[in-house]
Structures are given as C-alpha cells and as structure tokens.
Amino acid sequence: MAQPYDLVFRAQRLIGPNGETSGSVGIRDGRIAAVDAFDAELDAHRVVELAGDEVLLPGLVDTHVHVNDPGRAEWEGFETATRAAAAGGVTTIVDMPLNSLPPTVDVDALELKRKTAAAKAHVDVGFWGGAIPGKLDELRGLHEAGVFGFKCFLLHSGVDEFPPLDSAELDTALRELAGFDAMMIVHAEDSEAIEQAPTPHGEDYGDFLASRPKGAENLAIAQVIELARRIGARVHILHLASADALPLIASARADGVRVTVETCPHYLSFTAEEIPDGATQFKCCPPIREAANRELLWKALADGTIDCVVSDHSPCTPELKRLDIGDFGVAWGGVSSLQLGLPAIWTQARQRGYSLSDVVTWMARKPAELAGMRTKGSIAVGNDADLCVFAPDDAFVVDVANLQHRNPVSAYHGRPLAGVVRSTWLRGTQIAGNGTDTTAPQGKLLTRGEV
C-alpha cells in the first residue's frame, strides 16, 4: 500500500506547465510527488482545499533583489526582504552583489553574505556575484562557490565600492566567463551618453527622464550584444526600459547570440506622464518612460522578446529618497516592490487580455530557467513544493504601512491592485498567510547546480 502524502492541495483552478487546469497536488518530503485530477483519491495526512475564488500557482522566482545585508541593513535586510517576498507569493529570490558591504565580488564576501542570510531567510535565497575592475581574477572562484552568474555596470553604480567595467574590462570579463559558460547580467546604460545628457535636478520628472535617455540604453545594449556575438558569451540585459532596443535584441537572437532580457513591474505599470512633481519614490535607473514605450514593452513580453519580469527591488531609507525636497537629482534611485510584483503585473496583464498562465510564465518559470533552477518555477512532479494561493478577483489598495519591506516607501502606495496572495508555501510548509507571523525562517541558501 502506498504511503500517504504529507499534504495534498485540491484546486478547481491550477496553473500547471501546460496552462490552467483543475487538479490535486500531492506533496511528500517537501517535493511535488503527484499532480493528478481534482477528484483523484490521494491519501494524505492533511488536505488543503482551495476556495472557489482561489488559484494555485507555483511560487514566484525573483532573480533581481537588492537585500543590502550586511552593511546597509537599514535599507533592507534578509529578515524583512524575505518576509516581503513570502507575503507576495515569491518563494525564491536571487540577491544582487551590491549594495551590501562588502559587495559580493570575492569568495570571502560571498561567505559573509551567506552567513548573514542563513538564519533570517523566510524564502530560498541564491546569490549573484559581482564583476568589477581589479577583481576579475575572482570570477572563477565565485563560480565554483555557487553563484548563479555575475553582474556588472557600464556606468557608475551609485555606490563607489562597485565601480563599472570599461569596454576592455567587459571584453576580458566576458572571455573569462565564456571559459566556464557563466552568465553576465548587465546594467546596460552607456556612461558617455549619460555624461552628455542634461544633469538631473529639481522636482520635474521630465528633467530627470531627459538625463537618462533611451539612447544610453540602446548604445550599451548594442555593445553588450556585439561582444557576446564575438566571444560566444552568455549575457542578460537587466531591467529593460527602452523599447527602442527591442528590434536589436530580436535580431541578435535570430542570429544565435545568447542574450536574454528582463523588465520590471514599474516599467509595465507606470508612465512618465503620470509621475507627479517631486515624487521621488518613482525614481529608478533606467527611468520609467512614456506610455507608448510601456505598451511596446508589453508586446515584447507577449511575443517572447522579453523573457521575464522581476522586481529590481532596490530600497533605501526614506531620508535617501529625499521626499522632503522632492529633488530627482539627489534622491536614491530604486523602486521598492518585492511584495507587490504579482498583483501589479496581474492588474496590468488582465487589462490587456493576458492570462494568469502568462503571468506565471513571466514571473516563475522563465526566471527559474534564467538562473538554471531545475526544481523551481512550475507545479511539476519532482519540483520543490513551492506554491502560492492567489485570489485574482480580489483587490486591495496599497498602504506602505502594511508592507513587510523594512522602510515604508513605495511607488505603489495608494494604488488599487487586483489580486491578493492568500497564502504562500515553501517546500510544503506555509510561510505566509493567516497564522504565520511568528513562523521561524524556513528558507535555504541555494547553490548553482544544486537546485
């Protein structure tokens, strides 16, 4: 006689690898052991039956999160960031190598980061390494230590301890990474184009937008693509905001260049035209662009030119946002949205006729594939039992006081959003939802090739 499952979910609506269906999901030892019909007779120690207005999704995978811990934990930390992730249906994050101190640019810094996160992670956490001048000989060691790839900037990163690579250094780094088939993820804005643009200052968002022109993105993306073409390296374009670069990306892909692309909820939700004077909570780099540009990003997401949607959660203290003076020139750039990505994208997606299956592809399956995570991102036998119970027709108005982020600052404050995360489950254990406020951290630290 077969052993009973530890837990079975029964859902009239379930987003599986082949789209929406109904079904039962059997979980044993933290893994999905069965995906069967809704009325299948699955013996279990516990059964969770979803309400009629709920949909069972795979836990989301967010591969672009700035946790800033250690060193700048007052901006965000692993405790608050991973609680926010869980509250938003995100069960796996990959942490960026900046703005922590020290940045994750060598194995010692990685070990410190892992030690810092170990006892605080409410979701699973992986790590990107950093590629900066003077540290390119550390890339192989970090790769062997299990980072999921390497991040670089092509202009000032905003923090002095993570300087950009110039053209020759980028060439050297890509050749090094190609030797062990590691991926370079790139903040692609051209430094010379930014230097020649108007200097941002004051409360007018239009002035800030002019300081980060589309051409800066387009030039940098072209440079990255041509180096990847020449070297055969794997490259990923972070937080694409300029729709002008989409034909170049599509052409490169058709030629066999190994380039992938992400965008973020804020580029798909907001428009430059609607940002009020002094509203520095909307400042990010590259910037939120015009409405017509936003619609082209949506089309590219639908046709696959853009691979995935991730948060680029880049928080700071309220003081650094300079909400007191509303000056876009001096405020820290970054949108806090880790907890809000799913409802933010669903709100916009449903208005354009896209399905929950599409959203799951963009926010769970594709980010997992990008990072090489074979057991994340879909409800399939053998995968980790990471699940999200989502009510797509429920709604709420964002109040920063109710978010798990460390600091109560978000561009989404006061915005009505469709879709409510009712509960989140990591390897079959509930980590968010009613009764989980005091739950001990359940997250694991992930190593490339072992997940």
Side-chain angles (χ1 to χ4, degrees), residues 77 139 164 208 213 260 263 282 321 344 394 413 415:
L139 298 178
F208 170 65
T260 50
T263 194
F282 290 90
K321 268 298 183 186
D394 205 346
H413 179 65
R415 195 173 183 89

Side-chain angles (χ1 to χ4, degrees), residues 55-227:
V55 186
L56 189 65
L57 313 181
L60 304 189
V61 177
D62 191 337
T63 55
H64 195 150
V65 180
H66 294 268
V67 181
N68 310 328
D69 193 6
R72 291 190 175 98
E74 69 275 14
W75 295 16
E76 190 69 278
F78 283 103
E79 171 71 27
T80 49
T82 58
R83 279 194 181 275
V90 177
T91 51
T92 304
I93 66 171
V94 188
D95 172 65
M96 284 290 164
L98 74 165
N99 302 298
S100 55
L101 292 169
T104 315
V105 295
D106 55 40
V107 173
D108 286 345
L110 174 64
E111 289 308 308
L112 178 60
K113 179 86 65 100
R114 291 175 64 89
K115 182 179 179 181
T116 302
K120 303 176 185 176
H122 291 268
V123 302
D124 286 355
V125 180
F127 302 94
W128 297 109
I132 66 171
K135 286 284 190 175
L136 299 185
D137 57 348
E138 302 283 352
L139 298 178
R140 182 177 288 273
L142 279 166
H143 177 76
E144 292 173 351
V147 299
F148 284 84
F150 297 88
K151 180 176 186 177
C152 73
F153 279 75
L154 305 184
L155 78 172
H156 195 281
S157 68
V159 290
D160 292 338
E161 69 273 5
F162 202 96
L165 300 180
D166 64 23
S167 296
E169 290 162 339
L170 179 60
D171 185 296
T172 298
L174 287 178
R175 291 183 188 280
E176 173 72 5
L177 297 187
F180 41 89
D181 200 33
M183 181 168 64
M184 181 73 87
I185 64 175
V186 185
H187 182 122
E189 289 182 284
D190 183 79
S191 59
E192 291 188 14
I194 297 292
E195 288 170 5
Q196 296 300 318
T199 301
H201 64 279
E203 297 183 349
D204 187 338
Y205 182 77
D207 288 343
F208 170 65
L209 185 62
S211 76
R212 315 289 292 214
K214 290 181 182 179
E217 280 192 85
N218 304 337
L219 283 168
I221 290 169
Q223 177 192 8
V224 171
I225 284 174
E226 289 313 303
L227 281 174

Side-chain angles (χ1 to χ4, degrees), residues 159-398:
V159 290
D160 292 338
E161 69 273 5
F162 202 96
L165 300 180
D166 64 23
S167 296
E169 290 162 339
L170 179 60
D171 185 296
T172 298
L174 287 178
R175 291 183 188 280
E176 173 72 5
L177 297 187
F180 41 89
D181 200 33
M183 181 168 64
M184 181 73 87
I185 64 175
V186 185
H187 182 122
E189 289 182 284
D190 183 79
S191 59
E192 291 188 14
I194 297 292
E195 288 170 5
Q196 296 300 318
T199 301
H201 64 279
E203 297 183 349
D204 187 338
Y205 182 77
D207 288 343
F208 170 65
L209 185 62
S211 76
R212 315 289 292 214
K214 290 181 182 179
E217 280 192 85
N218 304 337
L219 283 168
I221 290 169
Q223 177 192 8
V224 171
I225 284 174
E226 289 313 303
L227 281 174
R229 186 195 307 273
R230 185 187 316 155
I231 295 168
R234 295 169 58 204
V235 295
H236 176 73
I237 305 301
L238 296 166
H239 44 51
L240 180 71
S242 171
D244 289 357
L246 292 166
L248 179 64
I249 293 163
S251 175
R253 284 236 186 97
D255 290 345
V257 178
R258 296 195 294 168
V259 56
T260 50
V261 187
E262 68 184 44
T263 194
C264 306
H266 39 280
Y267 301 127
L268 297 167
S269 296
F270 303 119
T271 65
E273 294 91 337
E274 68 181 333
I275 295 176
D277 287 349
T280 54
Q281 64 269 33
F282 290 90
K283 179 182 176 178
C284 55
C285 300
I288 295 162
R289 302 197 185 278
E290 301 85 355
N293 183 88
R294 177 182 66 173
E295 296 315 307
L296 291 172
L297 293 178
W298 272 104
K299 289 179 181 177
L301 190 59
D303 69 24
T305 305
I306 297 175
D307 296 272
C308 57
V309 180
V310 292
S311 69
D312 189 11
H313 178 68
S314 185
C316 66
T317 61
E319 292 76 18
L320 288 173
K321 268 298 183 186
R322 298 312 309 266
L323 297 168
D324 55 335
I325 58 173
D327 189 330
F328 283 98
V330 297
W332 177 260
V335 174
S336 296
S337 62
L338 180 55
Q339 187 172 334
L340 300 170
L342 175 56
I345 288 299
W346 174 235
T347 299
Q348 298 293 324
R350 71 189 307 185
Q351 293 174 9
R352 293 167 175 79
Y354 301 119
S355 69
L356 265 179
S357 294
D358 295 324
V359 173
V360 165
T361 296
W362 301 328
M363 303 189 76
R365 182 172 65 83
K366 287 293 190 70
E369 290 177 357
L370 171 75
M373 297 179 183
R374 299 181 299 275
T375 61
K376 302 288 188 182
S378 64
I379 299 176
V381 172
N383 278 8
D384 289 343
D386 300 346
L387 302 166
C388 169
V389 177
F390 186 61
D393 297 322
D394 205 346
F396 68 106
V397 175
V398 178

Side-chain angles (χ1 to χ4, degrees), residues 9-13 22-24 36-41 49-50:
F9 283 86
R10 296 192 187 279
Q12 292 284 2
R13 297 179 64 191
S22 61
S24 296
D36 212 329
F38 175 78
D39 57 359
E41 295 183 5
E49 294 197 14
L50 270 63

Side-chain angles (χ1 to χ4, degrees), residues 390-411:
F390 186 61
D393 297 322
D394 205 346
F396 68 106
V397 175
V398 178
D399 182 345
V400 291
N402 297 330
L403 299 179
Q404 298 287 341
H405 306 155
R406 172 148 292 170
N407 292 294
V409 178
S410 177

